[in-house]
């Protein structure tokens, strides 16, 4: 799984919207789209322990990404279903398209760990994985071992990559950008929040996911390499060893599921990403027309201007 | 909410739609940095702090409450 990469990619999506969508796609949509897969699946991956009894998935990686399990929450198919339901419910183009792009970013980023995601679900239940780093969520290790593994492997590089992508588009984090591009696309939501929170708080709220990602990255990396004292191969160490080799780190068994040939995963992932953007661009005008006609119909029904 | 209208307070500093002081870029940076350092350092030893609720609340809290408290202290010293 990816850690802070999911926080950074939200701003990367926001900063690299197609030209005609700039300032018109909901940031909250992107956020909730990116948030949905792990919100639905991750809690039970680590589970909880009450009075010595562990409640959670018996095979965490299968629950998280496989089927049967919650693996369907990390598929483009599920993203399209959720986006379609949101569209049918609200007829809100800005939120629907944002949601779809955010969801796609999450599902496609997660192909990098050794378990991957079921990209072509429900056509096939096979996982698509590049195997860049080891998936490490286990019952015994929980969140701590998972974080230690991720931040000792190429997962750390992945987080840093997304951080650099966002920093290269640093204007996306400024108050001016928030005012001119983010607020107009979600005017009602920000206005509602603005009833209680001053402007500086609203800007901070917009930047909060990035803030959380950076702090999370630094905190877990520091903990894993400075504070933790793991026992590896019978030897007590100060900090987990780094291993930036493919499917690392070496000191942990990478979890996998039945999967396709890793060599075809990256090209297919990029094609699917392009497909999602192509669809969003293609549907953009049509969705706008439907949204407008729905608005007119509702106004005439309620008698408001 | 109007984010484009600039209102000035009695001391000539810009206010937002709620009458709260707008921060300069340097101030915004300072408070965000303070929030980041405190949050990161504390969360190295207290991992329960690292979640979707505490993280954003921490930042918004620092940026909203910090300048307010600082302004109160400065005002008191000026008197």
């Amino acid at each position: 799984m990816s850690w802070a990469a999911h926080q950074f990619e939200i701003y990367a999506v926001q900063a690299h919207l197609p030209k005609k969508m700039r300032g018109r796609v909901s940031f909250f949509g992107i956020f909730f789209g990116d948030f949905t897969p792990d919100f639905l699946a991750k809690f039970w991956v680590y589970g909880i322990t009450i009075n010595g009894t562990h409640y959670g998935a018996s095979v965490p990686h299968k629950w998280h990404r496989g089927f049967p399990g919650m693996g369907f929450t990390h598929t483009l198919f599920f993203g399209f279903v959720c986006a379609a339901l949101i569209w049918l419910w609200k007829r809100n183009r800005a939120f629907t398209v944002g949601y779809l792009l955010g969801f796609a970013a999450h599902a496609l980023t997660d192909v990098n760990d050794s378990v991957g995601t079921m990209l072509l679900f429900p056509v096939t239940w096979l996982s698509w994985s590049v195997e860049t780093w080891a998936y490490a969520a286990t019952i015994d290790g929980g969140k701590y071992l998972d974080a230690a593994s991720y931040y000792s492997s190429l997962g750390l590089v992945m987080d840093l990559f997304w951080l650099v992508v966002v920093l290269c588009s640093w204007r996306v984090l400024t108050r001016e950008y928030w005012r001119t591009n983010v607020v107009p696309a979600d005017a009602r939501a920000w206005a509602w929040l603005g009833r209680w929170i001053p402007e500086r708080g609203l800007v901070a709220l917009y930047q909060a996911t990035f803030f959380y990602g950076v702090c999370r990255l630094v905190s877990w990396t520091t903990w894993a390499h400075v504070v933790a004292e793991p026992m590896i191969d019978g030897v007590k160490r100060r900090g987990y060893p780094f291993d930036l080799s493919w499917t690392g780190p070496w000191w942990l068994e990478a979890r996998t599921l039945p999967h396709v040939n890793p060599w075809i995963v990256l090209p297919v992932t990029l094609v699917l990403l392009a497909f999602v953007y192509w669809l969003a661009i293609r549907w953009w005008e049509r969705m706008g027309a439907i949204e407008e006609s729905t608005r007119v119909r509702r106004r005439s029904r309620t008698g408001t201007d | 909410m109007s984010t484009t209208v600039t209102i000035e307070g009695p001391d000539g500093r810009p206010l937002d739609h709620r009458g709260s002081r707008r921060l300069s870029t340097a101030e915004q940076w300072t408070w965000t940095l303070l929030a980041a350092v405190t949050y990161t350092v504390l969360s190295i030893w207290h991992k329960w702090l690292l979640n979707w609720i505490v993280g954003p609340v921490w930042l918004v809290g620092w940026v909203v409450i910090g300048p307010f408290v600082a302004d109160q202290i400065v005002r008191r010293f000026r008197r």
Side-chain angles (χ1 to χ4, degrees), chain A residues 11-74:
Chain A
Y11 296 91
V13 170
Q14 173 71 44
H16 296 94
L17 287 168
K19 205 170 180 181
K20 65 178 170 184
M21 296 183 190
R22 283 178 203 160
R24 301 167 80 183
V25 169
S26 162
F27 177 75
F28 289 119
I30 299 172
F31 171 84
F32 282 112
D34 200 282
F35 189 69
T36 300
D38 279 347
F39 175 73
L40 293 176
K42 209 166 175 183
F43 175 71
W44 207 238
V45 170
Y46 299 127
I48 47 167
T49 302
I50 301 171
N51 293 332
T53 307
H54 182 79
Y55 300 93
S58 52
V59 186
H61 66 281
K62 200 167 181 188
W63 163 267
H64 191 187
R65 302 281 182 72
F67 195 78
M70 292 296 277
F72 69 89
T73 60
H74 284 64

Side-chain angles (χ1 to χ4, degrees), chain A residues 55-107:
Chain A
Y55 300 93
S58 52
V59 186
H61 66 281
K62 200 167 181 188
W63 163 267
H64 191 187
R65 302 281 182 72
F67 195 78
M70 292 296 277
F72 69 89
T73 60
H74 284 64
T75 63
L76 286 181
F77 171 76
F78 187 67
F80 276 110
V81 169
C82 290
L85 290 175
I86 290 167
W87 171 248
L88 290 173
W89 178 36
K90 283 300 199 186
R91 289 279 194 271
N92 183 330
R93 175 179 69 170
F95 192 90
T96 306
V97 171
Y99 186 92
L100 183 63
L101 297 181
F103 196 104
H106 187 120

Side-chain angles (χ1 to χ4, degrees), chain A residues 65-303:
Chain A
R65 302 281 182 72
F67 195 78
M70 292 296 277
F72 69 89
T73 60
H74 284 64
T75 63
L76 286 181
F77 171 76
F78 187 67
F80 276 110
V81 169
C82 290
L85 290 175
I86 290 167
W87 171 248
L88 290 173
W89 178 36
K90 283 300 199 186
R91 289 279 194 271
N92 183 330
R93 175 179 69 170
F95 192 90
T96 306
V97 171
Y99 186 92
L100 183 63
L101 297 181
F103 196 104
H106 187 120
L108 297 176
T109 305
D110 275 350
V111 300
N112 280 286
D113 63 40
S114 60
V115 172
T117 58
M118 297 184 290
L119 277 190
L120 297 188
F121 180 88
V123 177
T124 168
W125 295 0
L126 285 175
S127 275
W128 295 66
S129 160
V130 188
E131 300 180 347
T132 316
W133 59 85
Y135 181 103
T138 57
I139 295 173
D140 297 333
K143 186 183 272 190
Y144 287 78
L145 184 64
D146 194 10
S149 164
Y150 183 80
Y151 285 114
S152 302
S153 68
L154 286 172
L156 173 62
V157 178
M158 185 66 161
D159 274 12
L160 293 174
F161 165 76
W162 281 107
L163 177 62
V164 169
V165 169
V166 177
L167 291 179
C168 286
S169 323
W170 59 270
R171 280 193 177 82
V172 76
L173 297 168
T174 60
R175 179 171 56 191
E176 195 53 33
Y177 184 93
W178 171 78
R179 275 165 54 164
T180 54
N181 284 271
V182 177
V183 173
D186 270 318
R188 288 178 68 180
W190 288 109
W192 183 80
L193 288 166
R195 286 158 65 182
W196 292 281
I197 308 174
E199 189 194 75
R200 61 178 188 257
L202 296 177
V203 177
L205 190 63
Y206 166 64
Q207 297 166 335
T209 306
F210 180 78
F211 167 88
Y212 174 53
V214 172
C215 294
R216 195 181 188 204
L217 191 163
V218 176
S219 174
W220 276 115
T221 307
T222 309
W223 171 81
H225 299 289
V226 180
V227 179
E229 293 182 341
M231 185 81 84
I232 296 174
D233 289 345
V235 180
K236 192 173 183 185
R237 293 166 177 265
R238 167 65 77 173
Y240 287 87
F242 275 108
D243 176 12
L244 300 183
S245 64
W246 211 256
T247 327
W250 59 265
W251 42 264
L252 183 132
E253 187 196 343
R255 269 61 184 171
T256 58
L257 287 173
H259 55 81
V260 299
N261 185 331
W263 286 100
I264 65 166
V265 175
L266 196 58
V268 170
T269 303
L270 292 174
V271 167
L272 287 173
L273 181 65
F275 174 69
V276 171
Y277 271 85
W278 177 78
L279 268 187
I281 292 167
R282 199 173 159 78
W283 288 348
W284 183 253
E285 309 295 352
R286 206 177 301 169
M287 289 171 82
I290 295 170
E291 183 180 340
E292 188 53 36
S293 67
T294 308
R295 197 176 296 153
V296 169
R297 211 169 38 237
R298 279 181 187 157
R299 274 183 198 154
S300 65
R301 207 180 295 160
T302 55

